């Protein structure tokens, strides 16, 4: 995966994760063009499109578009499953997630994504494991915020 | 609030802004506050402030001043600060920033941190934005983690290694040994990471690929375990056990089996098993089947397995899910040449997809349908294609018409069918056809000698119905001019007889001439056709005379020139008019210079001497299309194209020679460079058996720098030994 974008129906960006090195300017340009292209698609069209030299996979969940750019050898159908898995993780974490959750807790959305994907690839294919890890990390964060001594946890 | 707003509050305030300007104002104030906070000593608010800054950055505002703060936070001993620091690094620092180097040391330390969650942050960040330099620096650490750590870390280290190998391919060798042993792990996350890493290593290094072929049996075992295992709640997705891992293993097996008999053999059974045991009702199963098909087609599979794979794609075409139909067609497109017969079996379903709502599905269906045309199915398939043409999206029309023409040309079961098909296309989409269509169709019509009557009737009917489609009108005019006598005769074998009066025909042509919809080229066709009719009709020649005379003062220079010449044909050269305007001979498509539908300066077959009088006016309506690249663009020169015509007129000052024959060969080139630096030769063969003395007028029309020019030369005498 080269990048993932989450945006609203009005084209407002809610999350952007880039796995390839690009300048801010390039990122903005790509974002603008791709968002426009995806928003112009009609509801009955398929989730895949060819854009520049990439394959783009997108799916709309409620008011948010989840959009990934993958390489030519990547499997579009499994990418749909990746997107779905991420949505499930968000849903479980926030309890019936909605766009506002992602707006006001965007760091959490990133933390969850970073626990699920690394370098654009899935780290763990078990939903349970990912959620558990995030839970533990959150606990660690809580402890650190309440006292200033860093604690060491070692989990096997 | 002295330490600044919390991020939720700030976000709320920003969202409350009613205009872009107001938002900018809020952002400026917030950023100023954040900057001030950054400058202060550690007051426990740094992570909040950076988080706020990251939100602002996501809205599109500059946030460079936060970069150093990321570096500081990453170095903090507190987990919550590290967490936001690393997030900031991934968002604000890319490998091109200098600041990214400053975090290398922190990452190095954190990779050995006692908390695996801190290690995780470092691994994630390195794997996301690590530069080549950082990767070189830290690769040994990653290798160490690959070998000796818990599953939680190992799986992340594997993917981090993938990133490193992409940045610094030579480092692949470092990771190869460790990745091999990872295949014996039970943890799915680790296995998945290992397979991804091994795939990356094999793709980049043929020796490594060779090594890992030995791992094929092991991979097959793992895969079998996944496919045949019972329900595993942890990894189950819609009835499929860990589809993510299955897909990656299949992809690795594809790479290992490619061009290798042994590896392919070892995998054949497994692929058949996966293909038959995977439920494709949901996306997860279809994803696995899709990857299986890709693998089958790419390695050396048994033919039975290939047919199985194509059938899977065929089943996909019937799936309710549009995405799966699209994927199927993309795959079928890749194999339609190599596995043509297998794909043919699904032609019906493919053709049905022409009616899909999605434009990309339609496009794929079109490509596939065109690839599947054969002599056997041409009639039925063409019906579907023509139906498609009548309602296809505008961006596909040109491609469709050209595909239809190619198919018709290759497989037309009869000339009549061929002509009918082309006419159908012109009627439906005449505005979207290539320019060569008109001369090609004319050429086709001339060769179908038994169908001249049928064709001219059909075209006449089309013309009186609609004169807006230029290509159709041009062909119709040409036919009417050429075969007008057949049209007027009324009877026709292939079609219902209809009474057409001379005036009707002339009305039709005049309508074209006068219509604002007609392009200049079309009007040229109409005028020439009108002129030709002067020898094919009997009563209304005067009407033609007056039309021609009127256009002698037409503002369009091309039309004016023609009219003047035709006038001359009526007056001074009236005695030759019949001969000049008589039926054109069949144009030889295989003449030199004629390739792929482009008519060039072809040769005219030898004319029968009895039908020619001394003055042969070789006037060809066809455009000579000489599509050559203008490599003389920098120097002005005479370029012969796209309108090049050579006119030859014999002028005899005594008795007309009965037996002079003329043959024009293709020109030697299509560009004459300027300043006399080159030349183009066109050979004209004159057969003058009776050795009559001849004068000849030669006119060359060409384009020079977008201007249409002409040169005329009169040859008053030929050297006596010539005959």
């Amino acid at each position: 995966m080269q990048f993932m974008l989450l945006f609203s129906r009005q084209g407002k960006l809610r999350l952007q994760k880039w796995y390839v090195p690009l300048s801010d300017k390039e990122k903005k340009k790509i974002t603008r063009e791709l968002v426009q292209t995806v928003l112009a698609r009609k509801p009955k069209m398929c989730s895949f499109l060819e854009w520049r030299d990439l394959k783009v996979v997108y799916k709309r969940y409620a008011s948010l578009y989840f959009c990934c750019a993958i390489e030519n050898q990547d499997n579009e159908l499994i990418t749909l499953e990746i997107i779905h898995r991420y949505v499930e993780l968000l849903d479980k974490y926030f309890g019936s997630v909605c766009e506002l959750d992602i707006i006001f807790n965007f760091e959490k959305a990133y933390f969850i994504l970073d626990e699920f994907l690394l370098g654009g690839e899935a780290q763990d294919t078990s939903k349970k494991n990912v959620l558990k890890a995030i839970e533990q990390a959150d606990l660690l964060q809580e402890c650190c915020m309440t006292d200033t001594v860093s604690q060491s946890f070692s989990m096997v | 609030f002295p330490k600044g707003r919390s991020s939720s509050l700030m976000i709320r305030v920003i969202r409350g802004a009613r205009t872009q300007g107001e938002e900018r104002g809020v952002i400026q104030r917030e950023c100023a506050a954040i900057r001030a906070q950054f400058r202060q000593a550690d007051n426990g608010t740094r992570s909040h402030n950076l988080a706020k800054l990251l939100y602002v950055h996501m809205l599109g505002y500059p946030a460079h001043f936060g970069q150093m703060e990321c570096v500081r936070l990453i170095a903090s001993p507190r987990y919550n600060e590290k967490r936001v620091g690393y997030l900031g690094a991934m968002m604000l620092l890319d490998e091109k920033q200098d600041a990214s180097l400053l975090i290398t040391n922190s990452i190095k330390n954190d990779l050995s941190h006692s908390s695996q969650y801190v290690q995780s942050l470092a691994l994630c960040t390195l794997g996301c934005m690590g530069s080549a330099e950082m990767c070189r620096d830290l690769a040994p650490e990653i290798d160490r983690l690959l070998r000796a750590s818990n599953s939680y870390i190992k799986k992340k280290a594997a993917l981090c290694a993938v990133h490193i190998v992409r940045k610094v391919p030579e480092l692949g060798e470092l990771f190869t040994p460790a990745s091999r042993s990872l295949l014996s792990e039970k943890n799915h996350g680790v296995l998945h990471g290992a397979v991804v890493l091994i795939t990356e290593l094999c793709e980049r290094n043929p020796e490594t690929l060779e090594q890992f072929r030995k791992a094929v049996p092991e991979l097959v075992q793992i895969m079998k375990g996944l496919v045949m295992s019972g329900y595993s709640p942890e990894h189950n997705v819609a009835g499929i056990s860990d589809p993510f891992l299955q897909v990656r293993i299949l992809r690795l097996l594809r790479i290992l089996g490619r061009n290798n008999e042994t590896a392919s053999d070892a995998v054949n059974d497994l692929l058949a098993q996966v293909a038959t045991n995977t439920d494709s009702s949901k996306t997860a199963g279809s994803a696995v089947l899709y990857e299986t098909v890709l693998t089958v087609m790419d390695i050396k599979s048994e033919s039975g397995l290939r047919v199985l794979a194509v059938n899977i794609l065929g089943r996909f075409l019937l799936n309710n899910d549009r995405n799966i139909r699209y994927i199927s067609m993309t795959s079928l497109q890749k194999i339609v040449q190599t596995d043509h017969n297998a794909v043919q079996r699904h032609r019906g379903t493919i053709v049905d997809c022409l009616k899909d709502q999605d434009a990309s599905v339609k496009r794929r269906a079109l490509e596939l349908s065109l690839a599947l045309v054969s002599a056997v199915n041409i009639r039925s398939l063409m019906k579907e294609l023509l139906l498609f043409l009548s309602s296809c999206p505008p961006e596909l029309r040109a491609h469709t018409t050209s595909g239809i023409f190619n198919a018709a040309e290759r497989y037309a079961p009869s000339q009549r069918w061929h002509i009918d098909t082309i006419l159908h296309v012109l009627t439906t989409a005449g505005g979207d056809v290539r320019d060569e269509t008109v001369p090609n169709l004319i050429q086709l019509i001339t060769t179908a000698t038994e169908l001249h009557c049928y064709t001219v009737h059909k075209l006449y009917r089309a013309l009186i119905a609609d004169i807006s489609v230029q290509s159709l009108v041009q062909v119709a005019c040409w036919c009417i001019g050429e075969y007008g006598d057949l049209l007027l005769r009324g009877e026709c074998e292939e079609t219902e007889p209809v009474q057409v009066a001379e005036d009707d025909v002339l009305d039709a042509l005049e309508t074209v001439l006068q219509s604002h919809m007609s392009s200049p080229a079309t009007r040229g066709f109409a005028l020439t056709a009108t002129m030709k009719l002067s020898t094919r009709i009997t009563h209304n020649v005067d009407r033609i005379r007056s039309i021609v005379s009127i256009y002698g003062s037409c503002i369009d220079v091309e039309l004016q020139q023609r009219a003047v010449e035709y006038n001359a044909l009526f007056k001074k050269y009236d005695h030759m008019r019949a001969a000049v305007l008589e039926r054109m001979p069949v144009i030889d498509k295989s003449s030199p210079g004629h390739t792929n539908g482009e008519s060039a300066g072809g040769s005219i077959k030898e004319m029968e001497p009895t039908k020619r009088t001394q003055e042969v006016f070789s006037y060809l309506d066809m455009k000579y299309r000489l599509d050559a690249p203008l490599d003389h663009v920098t120097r002005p020169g005479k370029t012969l194209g796209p309108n090049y015509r050579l006119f030859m007129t014999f002028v005899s000052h005594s008795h007309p020679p009965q037996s002079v024959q003329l043959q024009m060969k293709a020109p030697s080139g299509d560009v004459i460079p300027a300043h006399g630096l080159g030349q183009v030769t066109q050979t004209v063969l004159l057969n003058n058996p009776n050795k009559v003395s001849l004068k000849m007028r030669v006119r060359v029309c060409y384009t020079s720098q977008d201007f249409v020019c002409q040169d005329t030369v009169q040859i008053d005498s030929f050297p006596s030994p010539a005959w």
Side-chain angles (χ1 to χ4, degrees), chain B residues 646-661:
Chain B
L646 192 68
F647 300 152
M648 321 261 288
T649 318
F650 290 101
V651 181
S652 169
H653 59 98
S654 61
H655 289 295
Q658 301 277 347
S659 58
V660 177
Q661 289 167 348

Side-chain angles (χ1 to χ4, degrees), chain A residues 1 71 73-74 119 121, chain B residues 158-169 171-173 175-176 179 192-206 208-209 212 248 251-252 255-256:
Chain A
M1 194 184 297
E71 272 143 12
Q73 329 88 288
D74 293 330
E121 306 279 350
Chain B
L159 292 178
C160 194
V162 171
H163 175 85
I164 292 175
V165 171
R166 284 182 186 157
K167 281 281 174 222
V168 189
L171 286 171
E173 277 180 41
F175 297 122
T176 305
S179 50
H192 185 269
V195 171
V196 175
L197 177 56
I198 293 169
T199 307
E200 194 69 36
L201 295 172
C202 290
E203 275 176 335
R204 287 173 187 278
N205 190 325
T208 314
L209 177 64
F212 275 104
R248 290 314 302 237
R251 186 160 143 186
L252 178 55
I255 292 164
L256 295 173

Side-chain angles (χ1 to χ4, degrees), chain B residues 308-476:
Chain B
L308 183 57
V310 177
N311 288 346
I312 290 175
L313 294 179
R315 267 204 330 269
F316 275 3
L317 282 178
L318 300 166
N319 197 303
N320 283 329
D321 188 336
R322 158 171 299 119
N323 290 329
I324 293 174
R325 293 206 295 278
Y326 177 87
I327 289 295
S328 165
M329 284 204 281
T330 319
S331 315
L332 285 168
Q333 186 71 38
K334 293 189 192 129
I335 61 171
V336 71
Q337 304 300 338
T338 50
D339 296 77
H340 191 91
N341 291 334
V343 180
Q344 275 285 7
R345 275 183 225 125
H346 302 280
R347 193 179 70 245
T349 334
I350 291 169
V351 166
D352 278 341
C353 288
L354 285 170
K355 304 186 187 101
D356 200 297
Q357 302 265 12
D358 186 330
S360 11
V361 170
K362 272 210 237 271
R363 184 180 324 122
R364 302 225 172 261
L366 173 65
E367 297 282 1
L368 269 173
S369 303
L370 290 173
L372 290 175
V373 176
S374 73
V376 172
N377 62 37
I378 181 73
R379 281 187 193 269
S380 54
L381 194 42
M382 189 54 81
K383 281 205 191 84
E384 298 285 350
L385 289 169
L386 290 173
L387 195 58
F388 173 68
L389 183 61
S390 57
S391 61
C392 88
E395 64 270 13
L396 289 179
R397 286 165 78 101
H399 192 63
T400 312
T401 59
S402 112
I404 287 175
F405 286 154
N406 285 338
E409 181 149 340
R410 286 176 72 187
Y411 301 111
S414 74
Q415 283 186 316
R416 175 170 163 172
W417 181 95
H418 195 172
I419 290 172
D420 282 345
T421 303
I422 300 182
L423 289 182
H424 190 135
V425 172
L426 289 181
T427 322
T428 324
D432 293 295
V433 301
R434 300 218 316 264
D435 293 340
E436 301 90 79
T437 311
V438 169
N440 282 351
L441 179 55
I442 289 176
Q443 191 270 333
L444 176 64
I445 290 171
T446 58
T447 55
T449 37
E450 312 80 53
L451 293 169
H452 288 166
C453 188
Y454 166 76
T455 312
V456 72
H457 270 90
K458 200 157 172 175
L459 280 165
Y460 173 73
R461 269 198 288 273
L463 187 65
I464 54 177
D466 176 17
I467 59 165
S468 62
V469 180
Q470 299 306 293
S471 47
L472 189 56
V473 171
Q474 286 174 11
V475 178

